[in-house]
Amino acid sequence: MHQRDMERFAFLFLCGKHDRGILLGKEKMTFSDLDRLTYITDFLGLKLYNLEIWNTYSGQFAEQFQRLEQLYDETSSIVSWDPTEADEHLHDRWIRDFCGQVPDRKSRKQLKEIIKQQYQEKGLVDPTETDIV
């Protein structure tokens, strides 16, 4: 089994029903789903599966990416494009929600520990410090 396949298997095991349906092609991927799922896989260090998701789905959002690029070009001199506190809260919510949807309680607890460690290493506050387990 290749590393990418192991990453895919692990991520699909951890996914909630809705995300699994999207990634298995049973439900439609939205632009915000692509953003969320690539953020989560990157955060979890699943680089090869992250690239697989990107390569599989990003093409269907070429128009949205083109509009974002145009918006950036038009506003980059007057607007800061650095991540904002709102972006950080959104990313934290994505991680918290993903962790909360892990079907298996034991796996959810283990994932919560991995996430906690990653946040500590980055000097950030762990968003899973709620009653998810």
Side-chain angles (χ1 to χ4, degrees):
M1 186 178 271
H2 292 90
Q3 179 68 25
R4 182 195 56 188
D5 296 328
M6 292 186 328
E7 289 180 11
R8 180 188 318 112
F9 179 78
F11 192 74
L12 290 173
F13 175 77
L14 295 172
C15 278
K17 184 178 179 180
H18 177 70
D19 288 342
R20 192 176 306 111
I22 291 169
L23 293 168
L24 293 175
K26 296 177 181 180
E27 296 188 39
K28 184 176 167 96
M29 172 79 75
T30 65
F31 188 68
S32 61
D33 288 331
L34 179 66
D35 189 22
R36 179 176 53 81
L37 292 169
T38 54
Y39 176 81
I40 294 169
T41 53
D42 181 61
F43 181 87
L44 295 175
L46 304 173
K47 306 295 184 200
L48 296 176
Y49 190 49
N50 177 283
L51 285 172
E52 180 180 322
I53 292 170
W54 180 262
N55 289 335
T56 301
Y57 296 101
S58 64
Q60 67 187 352
F61 301 109
E63 186 178 321
Q64 286 92 331
F65 286 118
Q66 190 174 31
R67 280 191 246 146
L68 283 173
E69 185 177 2
Q70 181 181 7
L71 179 63
Y72 175 80
D73 289 344
E74 292 171 359
T75 62
S76 63
S77 63
I78 56 175
V79 176
S80 171
W81 285 87
D82 293 332
T84 65
E85 191 173 323
D87 294 326
E88 292 171 11
H89 286 298
L90 178 62
H91 294 159
D92 289 346
R93 190 182 84 216
W94 287 346
I95 296 296
R96 186 178 57 247
D97 290 350
F98 181 80
C99 189
Q101 293 177 25
V102 173
D104 178 67
R105 185 176 180 86
K106 185 176 179 181
S107 297
R108 187 179 328 126
K109 188 173 182 175
Q110 290 173 333
L111 179 61
K112 186 176 176 182
E113 288 302 314
I114 292 168
I115 290 169
K116 181 178 181 176
Q117 182 179 14
Q118 288 181 331
Y119 270 89
Q120 286 174 344
E121 289 173 5
K122 295 177 184 183
L124 301 171
V125 176
D126 177 8
T128 64
E129 289 299 316
T130 62
D131 296 329
I132 294 174
V133 181

